[in-house]
Amino acid sequence: MAASLTRLIRTLPLPLFGSAATAASFTLAKSRALPRLLGWALPAGVGALWFVWPAVDDEWKMSMGLKADPEAALKAVEEKEAKAAAKIAPVELSSEAMEKVESAYKADEVVETEADKLMAKGAATGDFTYLESQWEEFNEKAIRPGEDDDDDDDDDDEDEEEEEEEEDEE
Protein backbone atom coordinates (compact mmCIF):
# COMPACT_ATOMS: atom_id res chain seq x y z
CA MET A 1 0.00 0.00 0.00
CA ALA A 2 2.87 2.40 0.80
CA ALA A 3 4.51 1.64 -2.52
CA SER A 4 1.34 2.38 -4.45
CA LEU A 5 0.89 5.67 -2.54
CA THR A 6 4.50 6.69 -3.34
CA ARG A 7 4.01 5.80 -7.01
CA LEU A 8 0.76 7.81 -7.06
CA ILE A 9 2.51 10.88 -5.59
CA ARG A 10 5.47 10.58 -8.01
CA THR A 11 3.16 10.50 -11.01
CA LEU A 12 1.03 13.39 -9.80
CA PRO A 13 0.99 15.98 -12.61
CA LEU A 14 2.56 19.37 -11.78
CA PRO A 15 2.63 22.37 -14.07
CA LEU A 16 6.01 23.29 -15.52
CA PHE A 17 7.65 20.00 -14.44
CA GLY A 18 5.27 17.37 -15.76
CA SER A 19 5.22 15.18 -12.65
CA ALA A 20 6.04 15.38 -8.94
CA ALA A 21 9.07 13.10 -9.44
CA THR A 22 10.60 15.56 -11.95
CA ALA A 23 9.90 18.49 -9.62
CA ALA A 24 11.52 16.66 -6.67
CA SER A 25 14.66 15.79 -8.65
CA PHE A 26 14.97 19.39 -9.89
CA THR A 27 14.58 20.76 -6.34
CA LEU A 28 17.18 18.31 -4.99
CA ALA A 29 19.69 19.31 -7.69
CA LYS A 30 19.21 23.04 -7.01
CA SER A 31 19.44 22.61 -3.23
CA ARG A 32 22.99 21.23 -3.62
CA ALA A 33 24.06 24.70 -4.89
CA LEU A 34 22.70 26.46 -1.74
CA PRO A 35 25.97 26.42 0.25
CA ARG A 36 27.66 28.40 -2.54
CA LEU A 37 24.91 31.03 -2.51
CA LEU A 38 24.56 31.29 1.28
CA GLY A 39 26.75 34.42 1.36
CA TRP A 40 24.14 36.26 -0.69
CA ALA A 41 21.28 35.53 1.73
CA LEU A 42 21.83 38.62 3.92
CA PRO A 43 22.16 41.14 1.04
CA ALA A 44 19.15 39.60 -0.70
CA GLY A 45 17.11 39.84 2.52
CA VAL A 46 18.11 43.49 3.05
CA GLY A 47 17.25 44.33 -0.56
CA ALA A 48 13.86 42.63 -0.27
CA LEU A 49 13.07 44.49 2.96
CA TRP A 50 14.13 47.74 1.36
CA PHE A 51 11.34 47.36 -1.18
CA VAL A 52 8.75 45.69 1.07
CA TRP A 53 9.13 47.73 4.32
CA PRO A 54 7.46 50.94 3.03
CA ALA A 55 4.44 48.89 1.95
CA VAL A 56 3.95 47.42 5.45
CA ASP A 57 1.11 49.06 7.37
CA ASP A 58 2.13 51.38 10.23
CA GLU A 59 -0.54 49.83 12.46
CA TRP A 60 1.12 46.42 12.06
CA LYS A 61 4.53 47.93 12.82
CA MET A 62 3.13 49.50 16.02
CA SER A 63 1.40 46.27 17.08
CA MET A 64 4.70 44.37 16.68
CA GLY A 65 6.57 47.05 18.65
CA LEU A 66 8.72 48.07 15.69
CA LYS A 67 7.42 51.64 15.64
CA ALA A 68 6.39 54.08 18.38
CA ASP A 69 2.72 55.05 18.56
CA PRO A 70 2.45 58.85 17.99
CA GLU A 71 -1.04 58.99 19.49
CA ALA A 72 0.19 57.46 22.75
CA ALA A 73 2.93 60.10 22.97
CA LEU A 74 0.36 62.84 22.29
CA LYS A 75 -1.93 61.48 25.01
CA ALA A 76 0.97 61.44 27.48
CA VAL A 77 1.76 65.10 26.73
CA GLU A 78 -1.91 66.06 27.13
CA GLU A 79 -2.10 64.26 30.48
CA LYS A 80 0.99 66.12 31.71
CA GLU A 81 -0.53 69.44 30.62
CA ALA A 82 -3.81 68.59 32.35
CA LYS A 83 -1.98 67.76 35.58
CA ALA A 84 0.00 71.00 35.34
CA ALA A 85 -3.17 73.00 34.71
CA ALA A 86 -4.86 71.36 37.71
CA LYS A 87 -2.00 72.50 39.95
CA ILE A 88 -2.50 76.19 39.03
CA ALA A 89 -4.60 77.99 41.62
CA PRO A 90 -7.69 79.79 40.32
CA VAL A 91 -7.48 83.59 40.08
CA GLU A 92 -9.91 85.56 42.20
CA LEU A 93 -11.08 88.85 40.75
CA SER A 94 -12.72 91.80 42.47
CA SER A 95 -16.36 92.55 41.71
CA GLU A 96 -15.36 95.53 39.52
CA ALA A 97 -13.00 93.39 37.49
CA MET A 98 -15.67 90.70 37.09
CA GLU A 99 -18.15 93.30 35.79
CA LYS A 100 -15.58 94.57 33.29
CA VAL A 101 -14.82 91.06 32.08
CA GLU A 102 -18.52 90.26 31.69
CA SER A 103 -19.19 93.45 29.71
CA ALA A 104 -15.99 93.43 27.65
CA TYR A 105 -17.65 91.97 24.57
CA LYS A 106 -20.42 94.58 24.51
CA ALA A 107 -19.95 97.44 22.06
CA ASP A 108 -20.14 101.07 23.11
CA GLU A 109 -23.43 102.84 22.58
CA VAL A 110 -23.81 104.23 19.08
CA VAL A 111 -24.59 107.93 18.93
CA GLU A 112 -26.44 108.85 15.78
CA THR A 113 -25.00 111.93 14.05
CA GLU A 114 -26.72 114.35 11.68
CA ALA A 115 -25.05 112.64 8.72
CA ASP A 116 -26.40 109.27 9.85
CA LYS A 117 -29.90 110.72 10.17
CA LEU A 118 -29.72 112.22 6.67
CA MET A 119 -28.42 108.90 5.28
CA ALA A 120 -31.27 106.94 6.90
CA LYS A 121 -33.83 109.46 5.62
CA GLY A 122 -32.36 109.29 2.10
CA ALA A 123 -32.34 105.47 2.14
CA ALA A 124 -35.98 105.39 3.25
CA THR A 125 -37.16 107.79 0.53
CA GLY A 126 -34.65 106.88 -2.18
CA ASP A 127 -33.37 110.47 -2.40
CA PHE A 128 -29.55 110.48 -2.24
CA THR A 129 -28.93 114.14 -3.10
CA TYR A 130 -27.13 114.50 0.25
CA LEU A 131 -24.52 111.96 -0.90
CA GLU A 132 -24.19 113.74 -4.23
CA SER A 133 -23.43 117.01 -2.49
CA GLN A 134 -20.83 115.25 -0.29
CA TRP A 135 -19.23 113.76 -3.37
CA GLU A 136 -19.05 117.17 -5.08
CA GLU A 137 -17.34 118.63 -2.00
CA PHE A 138 -14.82 115.78 -1.97
CA ASN A 139 -14.21 116.12 -5.69
CA GLU A 140 -13.51 119.85 -5.38
CA LYS A 141 -11.03 119.24 -2.56
CA ALA A 142 -9.30 116.43 -4.46
CA ILE A 143 -8.85 118.20 -7.81
CA ARG A 144 -7.03 121.37 -6.65
CA PRO A 145 -8.36 123.82 -9.21
CA GLY A 146 -5.80 125.53 -11.43
CA GLU A 147 -3.40 122.62 -11.50
CA ASP A 148 -3.09 120.83 -14.82
CA ASP A 149 -2.70 117.10 -14.25
CA ASP A 150 -1.56 116.24 -17.75
CA ASP A 151 1.41 118.64 -17.92
CA ASP A 152 3.77 115.70 -18.19
CA ASP A 153 1.91 114.37 -21.21
CA ASP A 154 2.10 117.78 -22.89
CA ASP A 155 5.86 117.96 -22.19
CA ASP A 156 6.36 114.52 -23.73
CA ASP A 157 4.43 115.56 -26.83
CA GLU A 158 6.56 118.72 -27.17
CA ASP A 159 9.79 116.68 -26.83
CA GLU A 160 8.67 114.32 -29.57
CA GLU A 161 7.80 117.21 -31.87
CA GLU A 162 11.24 118.76 -31.29
CA GLU A 163 12.96 115.46 -32.11
CA GLU A 164 10.96 115.15 -35.32
CA GLU A 165 11.90 118.69 -36.32
CA GLU A 166 15.58 117.97 -35.70
CA GLU A 167 15.40 114.83 -37.85
CA ASP A 168 13.68 116.75 -40.61
CA GLU A 169 16.43 119.42 -40.56
CA GLU A 170 19.14 116.81 -41.05
Side-chain angles (χ1 to χ4, degrees):
M1 170 119 175
S4 65
L5 185 60
T6 308
R7 188 173 39 93
L8 180 66
I9 291 174
R10 294 183 107 198
T11 58
L12 189 67
L14 286 177
L16 213 60
F17 295 105
S19 68
T22 310
S25 65
F26 177 79
T27 305
L28 184 62
K30 291 298 177 183
S31 66
R32 288 189 183 128
L34 278 180
R36 282 186 300 147
L37 302 174
L38 197 56
W40 288 100
L42 181 64
V46 169
L49 281 177
W50 190 341
F51 286 106
V52 172
W53 189 252
V56 176
D57 189 25
D58 285 342
E59 188 175 319
W60 182 86
K61 292 176 190 175
M62 286 184 280
S63 68
M64 293 304 210
L66 301 173
K67 186 176 182 182
D69 187 7
E71 292 178 5
L74 184 62
K75 286 180 184 178
V77 169
E78 288 176 355
E79 288 175 5
K80 286 181 182 178
E81 289 176 356
K83 287 180 182 178
K87 291 180 182 177
I88 297 174
V91 178
E92 293 185 24
L93 297 175
S94 66
S95 60
E96 290 179 24
M98 286 297 289
E99 288 176 16
K100 288 181 180 180
V101 168
E102 290 174 359
S103 64
Y105 67 92
K106 296 178 182 175
D108 296 329
E109 288 186 31
V110 178
V111 178
E112 198 168 328
T113 63
E114 284 297 320
D116 293 337
K117 290 178 184 176
L118 285 172
M119 178 70 81
K121 182 181 175 185
T125 60
D127 180 25
F128 294 102
T129 55
Y130 169 72
L131 289 177
E132 290 172 6
S133 63
Q134 276 187 333
W135 176 251
E136 289 298 324
E137 289 174 19
F138 170 78
N139 204 15
E140 288 295 323
K141 290 178 185 176
I143 289 179
R144 293 187 193 156
E147 183 178 315
D148 192 7
D149 289 339
D150 58 4
D151 281 343
D152 294 334
D153 294 337
D154 292 341
D155 292 340
D156 291 340
D157 292 341
E158 290 174 7
D159 291 340
E160 289 175 10
E161 289 175 4
E162 289 175 6
E163 289 175 7
E164 289 175 8
E165 290 175 5
E166 289 176 6
E167 289 176 6
D168 290 339
E169 291 174 5
E170 294 176 0

Coordinates of all heavy atoms in Angstrom, one line a residue, residues 7 9 13 17 20 26 32 35 58 77 95-96 105 126 130 132 148 152 154 157 159:
R7 N 4.1 5.7 -5.6 CA 4.0 5.8 -7.0 C 3.0 6.8 -7.5 O 3.2 7.5 -8.4 CB 3.7 4.4 -7.5 CG 3.8 4.3 -9.1 CD 3.7 2.9 -9.6 NE 2.7 2.1 -8.9 CZ 1.4 2.0 -9.3 NH1 1.0 2.6 -10.4 NH2 0.5 1.2 -8.7
I9 N 2.0 9.5 -5.8 CA 2.5 10.9 -5.6 C 3.5 11.2 -6.7 O 3.6 12.4 -7.1 CB 3.1 11.0 -4.2 CG1 2.0 10.9 -3.1 CG2 3.9 12.3 -4.0 CD1 2.4 10.8 -1.7
P13 N 0.6 15.0 -11.6 CA 1.0 16.0 -12.6 C 1.2 17.4 -12.0 O 0.4 17.8 -11.2 CB -0.2 16.0 -13.6 CG -1.3 15.4 -12.9 CD -0.8 14.5 -11.8
F17 N 6.7 21.1 -14.6 CA 7.7 20.0 -14.4 C 7.1 18.7 -15.1 O 7.9 17.8 -15.3 CB 8.0 19.7 -12.9 CG 8.7 20.9 -12.3 CD1 8.0 21.8 -11.4 CD2 10.0 21.1 -12.6 CE1 8.7 22.8 -10.8 CE2 10.7 22.1 -12.0 CZ 10.1 23.0 -11.1
A20 N 5.5 15.1 -10.2 CA 6.0 15.4 -8.9 C 7.5 14.8 -8.8 O 8.3 15.4 -8.2 CB 5.2 14.8 -7.8
F26 N 14.5 18.0 -9.6 CA 15.0 19.4 -9.9 C 15.3 20.1 -8.6 O 16.3 20.8 -8.5 CB 13.9 20.2 -10.7 CG 14.3 21.6 -11.0 CD1 15.2 21.9 -12.0 CD2 13.7 22.6 -10.3 CE1 15.5 23.2 -12.3 CE2 14.1 23.9 -10.6 CZ 15.0 24.2 -11.6
R32 N 21.6 21.5 -3.8 CA 23.0 21.2 -3.6 C 23.8 22.5 -3.9 O 25.0 22.6 -3.4 CB 23.4 20.1 -4.6 CG 22.8 18.8 -4.2 CD 23.4 17.7 -5.0 NE 22.8 16.4 -4.6 CZ 22.2 15.6 -5.4 NH1 22.2 15.8 -6.7 NH2 21.7 14.5 -5.0
P35 N 24.8 26.0 -0.5 CA 26.0 26.4 0.3 C 26.8 27.5 -0.5 O 27.4 28.3 0.2 CB 26.8 25.1 0.5 CG 25.8 24.0 0.4 CD 24.8 24.5 -0.6
D58 N 1.6 50.8 9.0 CA 2.1 51.4 10.2 C 1.4 50.8 11.4 O 2.1 50.6 12.5 CB 1.9 52.9 10.3 CG 2.9 53.6 9.4 OD1 4.0 53.0 9.0 OD2 2.7 54.8 9.0
V77 N 1.5 63.7 26.6 CA 1.8 65.1 26.7 C 0.5 65.8 27.2 O 0.6 66.7 28.1 CB 2.2 65.7 25.4 CG1 2.2 67.2 25.4 CG2 3.6 65.1 25.0
S95 N -15.0 92.4 42.4 CA -16.4 92.6 41.7 C -16.3 93.5 40.5 O -17.0 93.3 39.5 CB -17.4 93.0 42.7 OG -17.1 94.3 43.3
E96 N -15.5 94.6 40.6 CA -15.4 95.5 39.5 C -14.7 94.8 38.3 O -15.2 95.0 37.2 CB -14.5 96.7 39.9 CG -15.1 97.7 40.9 CD -14.2 98.8 41.3 OE1 -13.3 99.1 40.5 OE2 -14.4 99.4 42.4
Y105 N -17.3 92.3 25.9 CA -17.7 92.0 24.6 C -18.7 92.9 24.0 O -19.0 93.0 22.9 CB -18.2 90.5 24.5 CG -19.4 90.3 25.2 CD1 -20.7 90.4 24.6 CD2 -19.4 89.9 26.5 CE1 -21.8 90.2 25.2 CE2 -20.6 89.7 27.2 CZ -21.8 89.8 26.6 OH -23.0 89.6 27.2
G126 N -35.3 107.1 -0.9 CA -34.7 106.9 -2.2 C -34.0 108.1 -2.7 O -33.6 108.2 -3.9
Y130 N -28.1 114.2 -0.8 CA -27.1 114.5 0.3 C -25.8 113.9 -0.1 O -24.7 114.5 0.1 CB -27.7 114.0 1.6 CG -26.6 114.1 2.7 CD1 -26.2 115.3 3.2 CD2 -26.0 112.9 3.2 CE1 -25.3 115.4 4.2 CE2 -25.1 113.0 4.2 CZ -24.7 114.2 4.7 OH -23.7 114.3 5.7
E132 N -24.7 113.1 -3.0 CA -24.2 113.7 -4.2 C -23.5 115.0 -3.8 O -22.4 115.3 -4.4 CB -25.3 114.0 -5.2 CG -25.9 112.8 -5.9 CD -27.1 113.0 -6.7 OE1 -27.5 114.2 -6.9 OE2 -27.7 112.0 -7.2
D148 N -2.8 121.6 -13.6 CA -3.1 120.8 -14.8 C -2.4 119.5 -14.6 O -1.2 119.4 -14.5 CB -2.5 121.5 -16.1 CG -3.0 120.9 -17.3 OD1 -3.9 120.0 -17.2 OD2 -2.5 121.3 -18.4
D152 N 2.7 116.6 -17.8 CA 3.8 115.7 -18.2 C 3.5 115.2 -19.6 O 4.4 115.0 -20.4 CB 3.9 114.5 -17.2 CG 4.3 115.0 -15.8 OD1 5.0 116.0 -15.8 OD2 4.0 114.3 -14.8
D154 N 1.9 116.7 -21.9 CA 2.1 117.8 -22.9 C 3.6 117.9 -23.1 O 4.1 118.2 -24.2 CB 1.5 119.1 -22.4 CG 0.0 119.1 -22.4 OD1 -0.6 118.2 -23.1 OD2 -0.6 119.9 -21.6
D157 N 4.8 115.3 -25.4 CA 4.4 115.6 -26.8 C 5.3 116.6 -27.4 O 5.7 116.5 -28.6 CB 3.0 116.0 -26.9 CG 2.0 114.9 -26.5 OD1 2.4 113.7 -26.6 OD2 0.8 115.2 -26.2
D159 N 8.5 117.3 -26.6 CA 9.8 116.7 -26.8 C 9.8 115.9 -28.1 O 10.8 115.9 -28.9 CB 10.2 115.8 -25.7 CG 10.5 116.6 -24.4 OD1 10.7 117.8 -24.5 OD2 10.4 116.0 -23.3

